[in-house]
Amino acid sequence: MNAPRFATRWLTRAVAGVAAALAGLPVLAQTSVTPANEWQFEFIPYLWLAGIRSDLKLGPLPGSTVSVSSSSVLGALDFGAMGTLEARKGAWGGLLDVQYVKLGVDRQLAGGLLGGYNVKFEQTIATLAGFYRVLEAPVAVDVLGGVRYVDAKTRIDIAPSLRGFGRQIEDSAGAADGIVGVRTIVPVGDKWSLLGYLDVGDGGSTSSWQAIAGASYQYSPTTSLKFGYRYLSYRRDNGLLDKVAMGGFYFGAGFRF
């Protein structure tokens, strides 16, 4: 069993263990959820300044790693759009998180003696999940399950300045992982709350996991400010793009309606 697959299964068992432990809480705690007669919605547009590290398989050529730090991601970003829509009624709810990024990165080979390569990276990640609130107070705990879809398009122009020696490699693939996870919300005073989130996914030829640590400030009854750190990693068993790791700070606002 390879290390990434073993780690994914271990994390899956860990999340399942947390869910099982929460399910074993006393019935009084399980039924402390305040019932609601109407659906509640929250839309959260955000900016995730995620540094990206990608491992590429270049066929007969040596493999390569392309990195973009969090501090320079805006310079490499051609376009990006990110947002989350969450709905909840009583203990039940669901969320849809979608992000799209398009990056361009230039690198040199042998200090520029052999030219270099240009990497165009386009990625869409969509997570759709349902959740159930197993504990409401004093700490809110949700267990969730769903699917994460990753569509990645990569184009590499190798040594484009060397006529007759240049090469172009393209790859486009989409993959879906089933995910399980847990989310914890800890109130701190009247306006602040802390967030902890973990999910793991597996799709046969792909595996992924995601962790979030953040905070929220309730600016008004319908508006909140959110920020924190988010990390997402996924791996594919085949294709040009072997592994992608994204981590960095995010900033956003929540609007309830």
Side-chain angles (χ1 to χ4, degrees):
M1 181 183 296
N2 60 45
R5 187 73 69 212
F6 175 79
T8 298
R9 292 182 179 177
W10 185 89
L11 284 170
T12 303
R13 293 192 183 111
V15 172
V18 172
L22 293 171
L25 291 171
V27 176
L28 180 60
Q30 297 249 4
T31 58
S32 62
V33 177
T34 302
N37 296 325
E38 298 181 356
W39 282 99
Q40 304 174 38
F41 298 91
E42 185 175 22
F43 174 60
I44 309 168
Y46 63 88
L47 176 63
W48 183 20
L49 299 177
I52 301 175
R53 179 183 175 90
S54 303
D55 293 337
L56 305 174
K57 296 178 181 178
L58 302 181
L61 299 176
S64 180
T65 297
V66 176
S67 299
V68 180
S69 66
S70 297
S71 59
S72 60
V73 68
L74 289 179
L77 184 66
D78 294 330
F79 181 79
M82 309 167 187
T84 301
L85 178 63
E86 183 169 326
R88 180 185 171 194
K89 184 177 183 180
W92 294 95
L95 62 87
L96 172 64
D97 179 78
V98 179
Q99 56 175 272
Y100 170 82
V101 294
K102 185 176 181 181
L103 301 172
V105 180
D106 297 323
R107 291 290 185 268
Q108 292 185 335
L109 295 172
L113 296 177
L114 300 179
Y117 60 88
N118 311 118
V119 179
K120 296 295 184 181
F121 180 62
E122 189 174 348
Q123 175 179 269
T124 301
I125 302 176
T127 302
L128 177 65
F131 62 82
Y132 179 76
R133 180 150 293 182
V134 297
L135 185 63
E136 180 73 25
V139 176
V141 179
D142 299 325
V143 291
L144 60 93
V147 62
R148 175 164 45 239
Y149 178 77
V150 178
D151 181 77
K153 299 177 182 178
T154 309
R155 190 186 77 185
I156 304 177
D157 294 313
I158 303 174
S161 61
L162 299 178
R163 293 186 177 181
F165 296 94
R167 181 181 178 188
Q168 186 178 93
I169 304 175
E170 294 188 63
D171 179 58
S172 178
D177 287 349
I179 63 169
V180 293
V182 60
R183 176 175 65 178
T184 303
I185 301 173
V186 183
V188 182
D190 296 333
K191 294 183 176 295
W192 287 93
S193 62
L194 302 178
L195 167 71
Y197 176 96
L198 172 68
D199 73 44
V200 293
D202 190 274
S205 62
T206 61
S207 59
S208 60
W209 67 277
Q210 179 176 215
I212 302 174
S216 177
Y217 175 76
Q218 197 66 41
Y219 179 76
S220 72
T222 58
T223 305
S224 60
L225 305 178
K226 303 176 186 294
F227 57 91
Y229 189 90
R230 180 176 183 177
Y231 185 89
L232 171 65
S233 175
Y234 69 87
R235 190 178 189 94
R236 295 166 53 194
D237 292 342
N238 50 60
L240 174 62
L241 199 62
D242 179 37
K243 181 180 179 180
V244 175
M246 307 170 62
F249 290 98
Y250 69 87
F251 308 89
F255 304 96
R256 295 180 181 175
F257 56 97

